[in-house]
Amino acid sequence: MRRLIPWNPLVAAALFILPFLAMLLAYPNEVISASMRGILIWWDVLFPSLFPFLVLAELMLGFGIVHFFGSLLDPLMRPLFRVPGIGGFVVTMGFASGYPMTAKLTAKLWEDKLINREEGERLVAFATTSDPIFLIGAVSVGFFHDARLAVVLGAAHYGTAVLLGLLMRFHSGGRMSPPAPVQGKGRLVARSFRAMHEARMMDGRPFGVMLQQAIRSAIQLIFVIGGLVVFASTILEVLTIAQILGFIQDTFGGLLGLAGVPRELAQSLVDGSFEVTLGTKAAGGASASIPLVYKAACGAFVLAWAGLSVHAQIISLVHKTDLRYGPFLLARLAHGLLSFGAVLLLWNRLKPEPAPAFALLASPGAASWLRPGLWPGMVWQAGYAVAGGLLLYLLAAGIIRRRFAPGGRSSR
């Protein structure tokens, strides 16, 4: 018997939207409050930290600075990360300006036929990070009230991002586009300046026109980001009202308990699953009785995962390309676990005060396989998180390779 309604993603979306709409109509005050919180996050945090970088990135593309970095960094980026040298500019801007910038620049390079699909997926997967302003100002100082925490969070966040980039070089069998032919003679720096000049001449726009178009493009993108943040905040509120969030939080709490981490931090992981600002704020505002090392590790996981709000931003920026969401999703999970473990490993070296003993691991109720004997519990928990991240990435990479390699389009 044939189905009356064929199942497809649009049907699934409709089934989600209808009850969501009913909740919006039933609880208008709560929904408006959640929307206002999303607007405040966008206006106070995202707009001032992202808008200047978005304009600057457009100007640097117009001036040919991207081509300068591409020629200069090609001998480094290809053997390390298996992306063209122009990816070095994307990595630098992504690390400096935060989450959506990498996807925006990668999509632009793909449209200009400077990278193929595999190279774009590698860039978006490992260079999508938090910006230092948010990590230091908002998270360390604003949420955790401890500026010294920025050292360990930054080392864990950006260090594991580079490690993830080294792992992503094996994505899709390490395929990459052939290097561009060397234009002219001379030293590498001279050739890089020549490439920048040629790109600027090919662009040909006056500075006034370039600045106007850069501001227009940045404003359009920043409002799209703001809308996604408000929508994520609203969804989170609706799930809370429907008591669905409580079930998810209990599930996360059980997983944290198995790992010897206080269950109270499950709220930060649940909130951070949807929006990174809400998740890191919940981690920093957790009970003072919870050791700071655990709260910092959960904050690092949320920063690396970035939240579904950022995932939606990435999808909206690369939807015109052939880049897939799967590698990005798996890389975020792996980055989160690696960052969690890195905080535990680096804590005693980078944090002034000594880390507390992991009493949970030594408690009678702890699972026997979690007891580390004479080894510090922190090292063992970090090993579990790092090994979990590596195993997740390797298993997922093998599944994707078997699923998409046969007859799949690997390059443009």
Side-chain angles (χ1 to χ4, degrees):
M1 182 177 179
R2 298 181 61 184
R3 293 179 180 178
L4 297 178
I5 301 177
W7 180 260
N8 57 55
L10 293 179
V11 174
L15 294 176
F16 169 77
I17 290 174
L18 290 178
F20 180 73
L21 179 60
M23 295 293 291
L24 293 181
L25 296 176
Y27 299 94
N29 293 332
E30 291 81 355
V31 169
I32 291 176
S33 299
S35 300
M36 291 301 300
R37 288 196 298 270
I39 291 175
L40 289 176
I41 291 173
W42 171 70
W43 181 254
D44 292 340
V45 178
L46 298 178
F47 197 110
S49 63
L50 285 179
F51 183 75
F53 283 100
L54 293 173
V55 176
L56 182 62
E58 289 287 341
L59 293 177
M60 295 177 77
L61 287 167
F63 281 119
I65 297 177
V66 174
H67 293 76
F68 171 82
F69 279 101
S71 178
L72 185 66
L73 298 177
D74 196 72
L76 175 66
M77 297 299 293
R78 283 185 178 272
L80 283 181
F81 304 108
R82 290 185 180 173
V83 296
I86 206 167
F89 171 78
V90 177
V91 174
T92 302
M93 291 298 295
F95 280 23
S97 57
Y99 299 110
M101 180 60 69
T102 299
K104 174 181 173 59
L105 294 176
T106 301
K108 177 64 176 176
L109 296 182
W110 184 92
E111 292 172 0
D112 293 342
K113 300 181 180 180
L114 297 175
I115 58 174
N116 61 24
R117 184 178 72 177
E118 285 74 24
E119 293 163 346
E121 289 174 350
R122 293 186 193 114
L123 280 174
V124 176
F126 85 90
T128 300
T129 64
S130 171
D131 63 279
I133 295 176
F134 178 74
L135 189 147
I136 299 172
V139 178
S140 301
V141 177
F143 300 153
F144 283 89
H145 310 290
D146 189 350
R148 297 171 299 179
L149 201 61
V151 178
V152 65
L153 285 178
H157 187 67
Y158 297 110
T160 54
V162 175
L163 175 61
L164 185 63
L166 296 175
L167 294 173
M168 286 297 297
R169 70 193 302 270
F170 302 106
H171 169 60
S172 295
R175 290 189 295 270
M176 59 184 302
S177 59
V182 178
Q183 300 291 335
K185 299 180 180 180
R187 296 180 180 274
L188 179 62
V189 176
R191 295 200 306 267
S192 301
F193 276 109
R194 190 181 303 115
M196 181 179 71
H197 176 71
E198 293 174 355
R200 175 69 186 108
M201 292 297 100
M202 290 181 62
D203 185 279
R205 291 176 295 172
F207 176 74
V209 175
M210 190 186 307
L211 179 61
Q212 181 185 20
Q213 294 178 352
I215 293 176
R216 183 185 299 115
S217 175
I219 288 177
Q220 291 175 349
L221 178 57
I222 204 71
F223 271 91
V224 170
I225 294 173
L228 291 171
V229 170
V230 173
F231 185 65
S233 179
T234 305
I235 290 180
L236 196 62
E237 183 66 24
V238 169
L239 292 177
T240 303
I241 295 173
Q243 298 183 351
I244 298 175
L245 212 61
F247 171 76
I248 300 175
Q249 186 169 326
D250 291 341
T251 303
F252 275 71
L255 295 175
L256 290 178
L258 289 176
V261 179
R263 293 171 177 263
E264 294 83 354
L265 290 172
Q267 181 182 352
S268 67
L269 297 183
V270 173
D271 292 350
S273 298
F274 293 90
E275 218 291 311
V276 61
T277 307
L278 299 176
T280 50
K281 184 177 182 180
S287 173
S289 62
I290 300 176
L292 182 58
V293 59
Y294 291 117
K295 296 194 285 187
C298 287
F301 179 90
V302 172
L303 283 171
W305 165 251
L308 293 178
S309 174
V310 171
H311 289 221
Q313 297 170 28
I314 302 300
I315 294 173
S316 69
L317 289 171
V318 302
H319 76 280
K320 293 183 179 180
T321 71
D322 62 355
L323 272 64
R324 297 165 295 185
Y325 173 64
F328 173 79
L329 174 64
L330 297 171
R332 290 302 91 218
L333 287 172
H335 190 196
L337 292 173
L338 292 172
S339 297
F340 185 96
V343 169
L344 301 180
L345 286 174
L346 298 173
W347 187 261
N348 282 329
R349 288 185 174 273
L350 299 182
K351 189 66 180 172
E353 64 267 18
F358 279 21
L360 287 174
L361 290 178
S363 62
S368 59
W369 59 274
L370 283 174
R371 294 175 184 172
L374 298 177
W375 287 89
M378 183 178 297
V379 176
W380 280 82
Q381 287 186 317
Y384 297 146
V386 172
L390 293 175
L391 181 61
L392 173 67
Y393 171 79
L394 293 175
L395 290 176
I399 293 173
I400 289 178
R401 187 179 299 113
R402 287 193 298 268
R403 172 64 179 83
F404 293 101
R409 186 157 56 107
S410 62
S411 59
R412 298 193 60 188

